[in-house]
Amino acid sequence: MTEKPQADAVRVTARQVLRSRKMWVPAGVILSVFAFLLSLAYMGAIVNPRAAMHELPVGLVNSDAGAAQADGRLNIGQRITDGITAASTDGKVSWKQLTEQQARDEMAEGKLYGALVVPADFTSSVLALGDPARQGGQHPAVTILTNPAAGSLASSLASSVAQQAAHTASAHLGDQLTTAARQHQTLTADQQYLLADPISIRTDVGHALSENSGLGMTAFFYALLLVMCGFIGANVLNGLVDSGLGFAPSDLGPWHSHGPKAPIDRRHTLYTAWGLMAGLAIPMATLIMIASITVLGMDAGHLPLLWVFSYFGIVAVGISCLSILATFGTPGMFVSTFVFIALAIPSSGGTIPLETVPAFYRHLSVFEPMRQLTGGVRAILYFNASGDAGLFRAWTMMAVGLVLALALGYAATSFYERKGLHRHPETEASPALASSGK
């Protein structure tokens, strides 16, 4: 029904309201604290990734066949890789000594962000370079394999770490070659320059992505869409259910209405919102795929699996958010914002690799929903839906989160009802809803 203001009612102006401390103090405290905490959550993860770096996974491959010497077989590649691992004592990089095929396989599962490869002819190339009688030959080189599927920042950091290690090894090897060469001849300026930094560095893609993969970022933004649809959808449905059942007014432009309250308890109100979320996640998951893949041309495979994962991702986030709102009421909006947005994005590993964020965010990533969804979508889009690439973990944690959310919502609303904390006076039941059994 529409209410008309009485003609003799005392009119209150905006100036009078704005002069009241009751309007300024609560809003000022809440919004100021929110802005401060939100800034800490977002900026705390990205201020200095290198300082926070912890066990960044980088492959180290020695394919060097070595060369026979009078005193045994010489393998300079092995010396270099052993030196790199021995020098890495600060825990910032986790060097994994693998074969080249193993390194490529682990990059194809998202377990490595890059790799440094010493080729099979490395020792022979170095010996030829240090030979005074050398009349040309192949310059010793190492290859850095990148993994754009791990994310542009993760791949860039791994490449930077590998390059730094290669340059350090080149300088150390150059000192040895220069000292040895000077024992046999006087070096020219060109020879000194060549021997000072003998190793050249090449770059290759270890696990290639298709063109329309956003340089490894489409998985993160697709997962963000799932989270936003669940989060915003839950907040919208929470308001619509309350207004539809008469617990809150409904405004549509200039029209205002407030229907009678329905004789429904807290638990069944939450069941109603859950049911709507489960049903409306179907068109949301479908339209996300249509917009992303059909309209915009995003590269994606395993489309049925992607749809099922998208649907359950939206449902899990939406039901979790609705349970939080049912438990905390209006403050639940702030709680869910931090759980699903503020703390979730920095700990998702989508834009910033988890190995480069403070330990606080790495701990959050164990259960934060954004991390699970990003890992699952990335496995489907980039790693051939491999379970080891994060898909098994995503399904498991999503199921655990959904069960906990259902339990939280049921327990909280049941407790409130048992304590007599009802949302409606018994005398204000809606006859229409009561007769229809709603």
Side-chain angles (χ1 to χ4, degrees), residues 205-342:
V205 178
H207 179 67
L209 287 178
S210 53
E211 184 176 356
N212 292 341
S213 296
L215 300 177
M217 294 298 294
T218 52
F220 167 74
F221 283 100
Y222 193 95
L224 182 61
L225 285 173
L226 302 182
V227 172
M228 294 301 292
C229 282
F231 171 77
I232 295 177
N235 282 275
V236 169
L237 289 178
N238 187 64
L240 289 177
V241 168
D242 276 354
S243 62
L245 296 176
F247 294 107
S250 177
D251 290 301
L252 181 61
W255 294 281
H256 174 86
S257 63
H258 196 160
K261 293 180 181 179
I264 186 172
D265 61 21
R266 290 177 180 269
R267 189 168 65 250
H268 284 85
T269 300
L270 180 59
Y271 291 169
T272 302
W274 282 352
L276 287 169
M277 176 57 68
L280 294 176
I282 295 175
M284 283 194 286
T286 303
L287 291 172
I288 288 175
M289 289 188 65
I290 291 174
S292 302
I293 300 172
T294 305
V295 178
L296 299 177
M298 182 186 81
D299 291 327
H302 307 280
L303 298 185
L305 175 61
L306 181 61
W307 186 91
V308 172
F309 186 86
S310 301
Y311 170 77
F312 281 103
I314 294 173
V315 170
V317 172
I319 287 180
S320 299
C321 187
L322 286 168
S323 295
I324 291 174
L325 290 169
T327 302
F328 296 99
T330 301
M333 181 174 61
F334 292 96
V335 175
S336 58
T337 298
F338 274 92
V339 171
F340 297 106
I341 305 297

Side-chain angles (χ1 to χ4, degrees), residues 30 43 67 82 139 144 196 209 227 257 275 303 366 408:
I30 292 173
M43 302 307 296
D82 289 344
H139 201 281
I144 294 175
L209 287 178
V227 172
S257 63
L303 298 185
V366 173
L408 172 66

Side-chain angles (χ1 to χ4, degrees), residues 17-380:
V17 176
L18 291 174
R19 291 173 63 182
S20 172
R21 289 184 178 180
K22 294 181 180 180
M23 299 299 296
W24 284 98
V25 174
V29 171
I30 292 173
L31 294 181
S32 297
V33 171
F34 179 75
F36 180 73
L37 293 178
L38 192 65
S39 300
L40 289 179
Y42 277 144
M43 302 307 296
I46 192 61
V47 169
N48 194 343
R50 288 187 176 275
M53 195 161 64
H54 177 72
E55 295 188 353
L56 191 78
V58 183
L60 189 58
V61 178
N62 177 35
S63 301
D64 190 5
Q69 297 285 291
D71 55 350
R73 193 163 191 84
L74 177 65
N75 192 309
I76 299 177
Q78 189 64 52
R79 290 183 181 180
I80 288 178
T81 54
D82 289 344
I84 290 174
T85 54
S88 183
T89 58
D90 56 4
K92 290 185 177 296
V93 182
S94 175
W95 293 101
K96 297 183 178 181
Q97 297 200 43
L98 307 165
T99 66
E100 183 171 350
Q101 187 57 50
Q102 288 173 334
R104 291 183 181 272
D105 290 342
E106 291 209 7
M107 280 191 276
E109 294 181 351
K111 296 178 180 179
L112 287 182
Y113 296 162
L116 177 63
V117 180
V118 180
D121 61 346
F122 188 78
T123 296
S124 58
S125 297
V126 171
L127 293 177
L129 184 65
D131 187 353
R134 179 177 182 265
Q135 299 295 325
Q138 186 175 357
H139 201 281
V142 295
T143 301
I144 294 175
L145 299 178
T146 62
N147 189 7
S152 55
L153 181 57
S155 180
S156 175
L157 283 171
S159 178
S160 176
V161 165
Q163 286 185 14
Q164 183 177 357
H167 284 306
T168 301
S170 181
H172 184 65
L173 179 62
D175 290 340
Q176 295 177 335
L177 292 176
T178 300
T179 300
R182 282 175 175 169
Q183 295 176 358
H184 299 88
Q185 65 175 341
T186 301
L187 300 178
T188 65
D190 289 341
Q191 289 174 326
Q192 291 182 27
Y193 178 78
L194 179 63
L195 293 178
D197 187 16
I199 302 176
S200 63
I201 300 173
R202 302 167 183 168
T203 301
D204 194 11
V205 178
H207 179 67
L209 287 178
S210 53
E211 184 176 356
N212 292 341
S213 296
L215 300 177
M217 294 298 294
T218 52
F220 167 74
F221 283 100
Y222 193 95
L224 182 61
L225 285 173
L226 302 182
V227 172
M228 294 301 292
C229 282
F231 171 77
I232 295 177
N235 282 275
V236 169
L237 289 178
N238 187 64
L240 289 177
V241 168
D242 276 354
S243 62
L245 296 176
F247 294 107
S250 177
D251 290 301
L252 181 61
W255 294 281
H256 174 86
S257 63
H258 196 160
K261 293 180 181 179
I264 186 172
D265 61 21
R266 290 177 180 269
R267 189 168 65 250
H268 284 85
T269 300
L270 180 59
Y271 291 169
T272 302
W274 282 352
L276 287 169
M277 176 57 68
L280 294 176
I282 295 175
M284 283 194 286
T286 303
L287 291 172
I288 288 175
M289 289 188 65
I290 291 174
S292 302
I293 300 172
T294 305
V295 178
L296 299 177
M298 182 186 81
D299 291 327
H302 307 280
L303 298 185
L305 175 61
L306 181 61
W307 186 91
V308 172
F309 186 86
S310 301
Y311 170 77
F312 281 103
I314 294 173
V315 170
V317 172
I319 287 180
S320 299
C321 187
L322 286 168
S323 295
I324 291 174
L325 290 169
T327 302
F328 296 99
T330 301
M333 181 174 61
F334 292 96
V335 175
S336 58
T337 298
F338 274 92
V339 171
F340 297 106
I341 305 297
L343 296 175
I345 292 178
S347 62
S348 68
T351 56
I352 313 165
L354 292 175
E355 293 81 5
T356 63
V357 297
F360 171 71
Y361 295 95
R362 291 196 292 272
H363 295 320
L364 286 178
S365 70
V366 173
F367 60 86
E368 272 287 357
M370 184 72 182
R371 164 59 175 164
Q372 323 312 325
L373 293 179
T374 300
V377 172
R378 179 176 282 163
I380 295 172

